[in-house]
Amino acid sequence: MTSQNLPRVCVIGAGPSGITTAKRLQEFGIPFDCFEASDEVGGNWYFKNPNGMSACYQSLHIDTSKWRLAFEDFPAPEGWPDFPHHSQLFEYFKNYVDHFGLRDKIIFNTEVTAAERQPDGAWLVTTGDGRTRGYDALIVCNGHHWDPRTPDYPGEFDGALIHSHAYNDPFDPIDMRGKRVVVVGMGNSGLDIASELSQRFIAAKLTVSARRGVWVLPKYVHGAVGDKQSVPAWMPRKLGLRLKQRFVRKFRGDMEFYGLPKPDHRPFEAHPSASEEFLHRAGCGDIAFKPAITALEGPRVRFADGSTEEVDVIVCATGYHISFPFFTDPELVPDSDNRLPLFKQMMKPGVDNLFYLGLAQPLPTLVNFAEQQSKLVAAYLTGRYLPPPAADMRADVTADEQKKRERYYNSPRHTIQIEFEPYVRDMVKEMSRGAKRAAAAGNALPVPARALETAE
């Protein structure tokens, strides 16, 4: 099978998901273009990315250990610390691209402004330079940590209110030294920023505001990196979950012991927040806690318990919208609750040539998540995998959605929450089933190569 009769593919984005997808397509001889709005690869891990989409701050270290984040055939450098700094991740991704000869396949400084599916199924992709190109399949890898979700509080605030997406360090974009600061949210970014600002000589007072308490997980367990330890594959999921919950309660104790609000859920029933420093700062009294903000009243902030505080700066670590601004079809974008039901977290039933890769919040790692997904996509595009009928795909999606509702409390971020290892095991099984379906169908290419001419 030659590249001449394989479908021509467009990849949107050259962050971690986009570059590993590009590598997979190259290995299978699938012709593709990869468009990147920035001048370099790395996406979210490109500090002060000129495309404005990076959520990096100066002190950021990844919460996934180097053993769990590395691509399969490109090991993390031996000299790395357990939890690398964002600058090390950025260099790693650049080195990955250069090592596998992908750089000349990436079209830099070129934003995709529109992607429209035609009546015959082909995709017309328009870029910021005004050019329109035709493709047989579209792979979306534009990430989901770039469109800030900022609360709309009633009232007016005399101080500065920013999203954590704009936060670079305690002095940029706002000098927070000696200021009274409220950090909203207790996800990983919220814990990191609160820990940094609560240090002596930075914020005069640091308060964390949250609608509910969280379980702050350790990065190290008994002297070893915590995410290197996993539940055996043979163990039933529910039993494995109960054992992990029991361990966290025993190892960490109750969150109230550190002065944190009591969680209204058990460990791992929410996307985990991990930090070693935050609990120390909280236990030392460097961080105060308040419930959700209910109103802004000039120089003061009112909280759900009726109390008020004079505040200079509010930093909203309140997550992100899942956005695809190049789509105009409402069926291809999430609803207002961030819900976009997809088969195996990547395919929309009834649309046979569109794939969303890296669109998940997997525990413990997102970096190489799309690498696993790209195996199925490449097999599909070369006729070696065939998905089930659309009705069966929808039934599978419904079952997966129900499992999420049973496992996690209702929140926009949990619409894409999954566990990495069970997901990969399930995908391997699905690829095996799909290979049998493809063989029975004669291994025909699912997407015809239309060889569309580029339209100017």
Side-chain angles (χ1 to χ4, degrees), residues 312-354:
D312 300 305
V313 183
I314 300 173
V315 181
C316 297
T318 46
Y320 294 84
H321 300 284
I322 300 173
S323 297
F324 308 108
F326 39 81
F327 284 146
T328 56
D329 185 344
E331 294 297 317
L332 304 182
V333 299
D335 64 18
S336 59
D337 294 323
N338 264 11
R339 297 190 183 280
L340 180 62
L342 299 171
F343 178 68
K344 303 308 176 191
Q345 207 67 41
M346 65 177 124
M347 299 176 68
K348 185 170 182 61
V351 183
D352 64 359
N353 59 350
L354 171 63

Side-chain angles (χ1 to χ4, degrees), residues 1-2 6 79 86 111 113 121 171 174 200 210 249 294 297 355 373 399 411 425 429 437:
M1 194 174 293
T2 65
L6 289 174
H86 66 75
E111 179 184 3
T113 56
F171 321 110
I174 300 165
R200 188 186 295 263
R249 298 186 74 106
T294 56
E297 301 174 352
F355 311 91
Q373 293 182 310
S411 169
R425 290 196 294 268
K429 294 177 182 177
R437 291 190 292 263

Side-chain angles (χ1 to χ4, degrees), residues 5-59:
N5 58 13
L6 289 174
R8 186 172 177 232
V9 180
C10 172
V11 179
I12 301 178
S17 297
I19 60 176
T20 193
T21 298
K23 175 181 175 289
R24 186 77 59 190
L25 296 178
Q26 179 172 269
E27 287 177 341
F28 277 72
I30 301 169
F32 71 93
D33 291 327
C34 178
F35 294 101
E36 169 52 50
S38 185
D39 61 356
E40 187 52 274
V41 301
N44 199 45
W45 295 98
Y46 182 176
F47 182 53
K48 294 191 175 180
N49 193 325
N51 68 8
M53 297 173 68
S54 172
C56 268
Y57 39 93
Q58 180 58 55
S59 61

Side-chain angles (χ1 to χ4, degrees), residues 134-195:
Y135 295 95
D136 306 308
L138 182 68
I139 304 179
V140 177
C141 302
N142 71 320
H144 52 88
H145 290 116
W146 62 269
D147 185 4
R149 180 186 288 267
T150 304
D152 184 16
Y153 297 121
E156 299 291 333
F157 182 51
D158 293 345
L161 187 153
I162 66 171
H163 192 276
S164 59
H165 188 80
Y167 177 85
N168 292 314
D169 58 49
F171 321 110
D172 182 15
I174 300 165
D175 187 345
M176 301 190 198
R177 290 174 295 183
K179 302 291 178 62
R180 297 159 298 189
V181 181
V182 173
V183 175
V184 181
M186 294 180 70
N188 286 306
S189 295
L191 300 191
D192 286 351
I193 294 171
S195 298

